Amino acid sequence: MIFARHDILEEIIVSKYAEEINKRRTFAIISHPDAGKTTLTEKFLLYGGAINLAGSVKGKATARHAVSDWMEIEKERGISVTSSVLQFQYDGYCINILDTPGHQDFSEDTYRTLMAADSAVMVIDASKGVEAQTRKLFKVCVMRKIPIFTFINKMDRDANDTFELLDEIEKELGIATCPMNWPIGCGKNFKGVYDRKENCVITYSDTEKGTKEGETQKIHLDEEEKLLQYIGEEQKQTLTDEIELLDGASAEFDLDKVQKGDLTPVFFGSALTNFGVEIFLKYFLEMTTTPLPRKSDIGMIDPVENDFSAFVFKIQANMNKAHRDRIAFMRICSGKFEANMEVKHVQGNKVMRLSQPQQIMASERKILDEAYAGDIIGVFDPGIFSIGDTLCMPKSQFKYEGIPTFAPEHFARVRQLDTMKRKQFVKGITQIAQEGAIQIFQEYNTGMEEIIVGVVGVLQFDVLKYRLENEYNVEIKLENLPYEHIRWITSKEIDLDHINGTSDMKKVKDLKGNPLLLFVNAWSVGMTLERNKGLELSEFGKE
Ligand code: G4P
């Protein structure tokens, strides 16, 4: 009898988690700089009541300061280097937005943030189409097979032809598109969107400064007179023709395909004038997934059926200059987290209490009492965590699949100017590398006084220089190297001393001693593979 009671209690607890967990939607917003990611995020936050004034995330008054600006270098340059997490409630959902820096020069952090998301919103500027940064970030989403939702922004300005925009997404990114709504005109002639599901036109309203979507009218396609009055003969004819074309040519909506990342639902709107944003948010929340199960070395871990577990996806040092701290960001993958509970750090094989768990919304921090699968928490890290580490209950034992190391695209040789400060230099550069902001490589026959640094975005070179100077009191000199392609050697049986490479090839090892090759051009990679039978190379290293 006692057992039966216990079972009932357990079931009640699990189903209580289920309710909280199933409310969670955790996603990242990706875009090329200036496409409107910050503006869209801000409008989402307005709907959720998390902020109450348009422009408080980033506006002219704050001189392009995103809420997530932490480091001095960000302030100096007016860009956001780090990613932050925003949580808010809307319509019964608990939403976690992972903010990814969108400027030209971003780091591996941006990629890693996507590893913690269950879906992605891709913002595209209607007059620019698919741009470089979108392409890069998109690749990571495809690798993870997470659902991608497209918001084509700035319809209040002149835009490219709508069919061409869709064509570009399909061709450039290799994903089928399904427009959920369709724009009527653009720029000065923007009249609103046609909602394909409801078969009606939602009229354009401009409430740039408002906190909610403006007054719109819904005109059913059958209400000919009313529609004609509103959009005029010419635009009505164009709309009719386009709907016909669309119904015949576009992919059919299929939620299963969306959730597998094979089909992207497309929405049109204008984040600035607050049009189409709430419609998008509503559809998006219905279609996107609850926290997804994750792969571990003992199989898939279901978020609802398991007790607490999490993995570290980002480590950030010195977020607060006053307290030289280091914070590990983790994504909770299953169950419930409670402050002061004992957890096991699997890689360190240690049971511990996480100190001061926090939810970090921009520069504000809130101490947490509890959090659920889907949520992101930040904890103080006394230097024990590494990216990819697993935390679980003391009685459990498993590891989540590691986060791949993304290939750096820029390389430089680093020299310290004052050789007396070697200890600080090695400490600083190793710590910054552990955080994942840079990758460091060593040549085979030299020590740590001369090393090669690889980064995903060139801004990271400045960040490195700045941080070594300010946090470790070490001055360095960077000499750019021409390498652009990096390959880890994955074949086990290869004689490293006898690789017959091209003249531009350089052999180095990473922090863990794994051998790899650097090349100036892609042709040399192919040539080296051709010359060395049995040589296997990979673009990704394992953490
Ligand atoms: P990002 O985070 O993707 O980099 O883009 P962000 O939201 O900062 O937007 C970039 C610029 O585009 C901003 O103008 C913003 O006001 C404008 N913008 C965003 N969405 C729309 C839209 O739907 N329509 C129009 N017309 N403009 C839009 P800015 O002048 O560069 O910056 P700010 O001074 O307004 O902050």
Side-chain angles (χ1 to χ4, degrees):
M1 271 315 276
I2 292 170
F3 282 126
R5 235 183 95 80
H6 179 77
D7 284 351
I8 293 168
L9 279 179
E10 286 245 302
E11 216 164 276
I12 292 171
I13 292 168
V14 168
S15 58
K16 199 177 132 216
Y17 292 174
E19 196 185 316
E20 278 296 335
I21 294 170
N22 290 333
K23 271 171 39 183
R24 263 64 186 171
R25 298 291 183 275
T26 304
F27 62 96
I29 307 191
I30 60 177
S31 76
H32 190 82
D34 274 348
K37 185 170 63 76
T38 313
T39 315
L40 187 70
T41 308
E42 179 182 277
K43 298 290 148 82
F44 285 167
L45 294 179
L46 283 172
Y47 295 136
I51 54 172
N52 47 29
L53 191 70
S56 43
V57 173
K58 194 199 77 179
K60 288 200 171 71
T62 47
R64 295 189 67 88
H65 262 197
V67 272
S68 53
D69 287 359
W70 276 309
M71 289 168 62
E72 282 303 312
I73 194 162
E74 296 180 313
K75 288 186 195 146
E76 280 167 16
R77 300 205 172 190
I79 48 169
S80 156
V81 179
T82 49
S83 333
S84 66
V85 185
L86 308 165
Q87 187 182 65
F88 65 98
Q89 313 283 329
Y90 174 80
D91 207 15
Y93 294 97
C94 175
I95 299 169
N96 292 306
I97 303 185
L98 292 155
D99 184 21
T100 53
H103 54 83
Q104 301 285 354
D105 300 304
F106 61 9
S107 69
E108 281 210 349
D109 245 20
T110 318
Y111 289 147
R112 292 209 181 101
T113 299
L114 286 174
M115 305 302 286
D118 294 313
S119 65
V121 167
M122 174 165 75
V123 185
I124 287 180
D125 182 331
S127 69
K128 304 237 171 78
V130 176
E131 296 175 87
Q133 215 73 297
T134 330
R135 228 172 271 137
K136 278 193 194 174
L137 292 168
F138 186 86
K139 262 190 171 173
V140 182
C141 298
V142 170
M143 183 177 90
R144 291 206 44 224
K145 293 198 160 302
I146 56 173
I148 299 164
F149 298 82
T150 306
F151 185 81
I152 300 193
N153 192 27
K154 305 198 184 181
M155 290 308 299
D156 58 304
R157 284 213 193 134
D158 286 344
N160 293 357
D161 178 81
T162 317
F163 285 105
E164 278 173 20
L165 277 168
L166 297 179
D167 217 38
E168 200 183 334
I169 296 172
E170 301 212 345
K171 287 212 179 92
E172 293 238 6
L173 306 177
I175 188 167
T177 58
C178 177
M180 304 306 291
N181 57 29
W182 192 257
I184 303 164
C186 64
K188 286 195 187 77
N189 295 319
F190 186 46
K191 296 283 167 59
V193 291
Y194 162 67
D195 185 317
R196 293 179 74 197
K197 192 168 153 217
E198 305 224 344
N199 211 18
C200 67
V201 166
I202 300 167
T203 62
Y204 178 56
S205 66
D206 172 351
T207 50
E208 182 175 343
K209 306 224 159 32
T211 54
K212 291 272 172 223
E213 198 134 312
E215 291 281 310
T216 55
Q217 283 189 63
K218 270 189 183 177
I219 309 175
H220 199 274
L221 225 53
D222 295 339
E223 298 176 88
E224 291 230 358
E225 271 307 301
K226 205 169 165 190
L227 194 59
L228 210 56
Q229 256 179 18
Y230 185 73
I231 66 176
E233 180 64 45
E234 203 183 318
Q235 278 188 302
K236 184 170 173 290
Q237 190 55 49
T238 311
L239 178 66
T240 314
D241 294 347
E242 288 183 341
I243 293 174
E244 215 181 287
L245 248 174
L246 197 61
D247 290 345
S250 83
E252 243 178 74
F253 180 75
D254 179 337
L255 190 58
D256 198 40
K257 283 189 181 165
V258 172
Q259 296 197 334
K260 286 189 182 133
D262 292 330
L263 178 73
T264 177
V266 181
F267 299 80
F268 295 83
S270 158
L272 184 69
T273 62
N274 214 347
F275 177 76
V277 177
E278 197 161 16
I279 309 171
F280 171 68
L281 186 59
K282 283 203 161 125
Y283 273 108
F284 165 71
L285 290 170
E286 273 171 29
M287 288 190 259
T288 188
T289 71
T290 53
L292 293 171
R294 298 238 158 199
K295 228 189 214 167
S296 79
D297 58 356
I298 56 160
M300 298 302 274
I301 305 292
D302 185 273
V304 174
E305 283 165 17
N306 292 279
D307 286 330
F308 167 79
S309 71
F311 75 93
V312 177
F313 68 96
K314 172 179 156 136
I315 292 173
Q316 174 126 28
N318 304 313
M319 288 194 358
N320 182 342
K321 249 194 150 178
H323 325 102
R324 287 186 65 121
D325 52 5
R326 184 164 138 140
I327 292 202
F329 286 82
M330 43 192 89
R331 146 95 197 210
I332 302 179
C333 299
S334 62
K336 180 185 180 185
F337 170 80
E338 280 172 77
N340 281 321
M341 76 200 264
E342 282 199 324
V343 299
K344 185 199 274 178
H345 173 218
V346 180
Q347 275 77 358
N349 197 19
K350 218 173 162 192
V351 172
M352 60 199 293
R353 283 179 216 279
L354 296 176
S355 95
Q356 297 200 31
Q358 320 175 33
Q359 187 190 42
I360 299 188
M361 171 153 166
S363 48
E364 281 171 31
R365 303 175 185 189
K366 199 170 77 185
I367 302 289
L368 284 173
D369 294 325
E370 56 178 48
Y372 294 88
D375 290 342
I376 311 293
I377 56 171
V379 300
F380 279 108
D381 172 18
I384 54 169
F385 296 121
S386 291
I387 285 166
D389 282 3
T390 300
L391 288 108
C392 58
M393 297 304 280
K395 63 180 190 316
S396 313
Q397 175 70 31
F398 63 86
K399 279 185 197 156
Y400 279 109
E401 209 182 30
I403 297 181
T405 302
F406 296 96
E409 291 168 19
H410 308 275
F411 298 85
R413 196 187 302 280
V414 188
R415 282 201 188 95
Q416 60 188 116
L417 294 182
D418 180 355
T419 46
M420 298 299 284
K421 291 188 179 159
R422 181 150 176 271
K423 235 172 135 184
Q424 288 102 303
F425 170 67
V426 172
K427 185 177 167 209
I429 203 155
T430 315
Q431 273 191 359
I432 296 171
Q434 271 171 0
E435 286 166 32
I438 54 163
Q439 289 182 41
I440 54 179
F441 309 102
Q442 247 178 292
E443 290 190 48
Y444 268 86
N445 301 320
T446 61
M448 283 292 273
E449 61 275 2
E450 193 181 298
I451 54 176
I452 294 175
V453 173
V455 295
V456 173
V458 286
L459 180 78
Q460 292 309 118
F461 286 144
D462 293 352
V463 173
L464 173 68
K465 206 163 182 287
Y466 181 91
R467 288 191 53 187
L468 281 175
E469 251 174 66
N470 283 271
E471 294 164 25
Y472 302 92
N473 202 14
V474 175
E475 271 190 84
I476 55 160
K477 190 170 179 291
L478 287 158
E479 176 202 334
N480 288 331
L481 296 171
Y483 306 106
E484 284 184 12
H485 302 270
I486 180 168
R487 295 290 184 275
W488 275 264
I489 300 177
T490 48
S491 38
K492 293 196 178 73
E493 316 241 320
I494 200 91
D495 180 357
L496 288 178
D497 293 332
H498 292 97
I499 292 177
N500 180 11
T502 47
S503 57
D504 65 333
M505 186 188 87
K506 188 168 205 53
K507 196 170 57 185
V508 292
K509 56 185 175 186
D510 67 14
L511 254 185
K512 296 195 173 138
N514 300 315
L516 47 111
L517 302 173
L518 303 178
F519 299 92
V520 173
N521 56 52
W523 177 86
S524 307
V525 182
M527 199 61 195
T528 304
L529 279 171
E530 219 169 87
R531 285 185 190 161
N532 297 273
K533 287 266 166 316
L535 177 67
E536 285 164 25
L537 300 174
S538 163
E539 265 189 71
F540 300 111
K542 278 265 176 219
E543 294 272 346

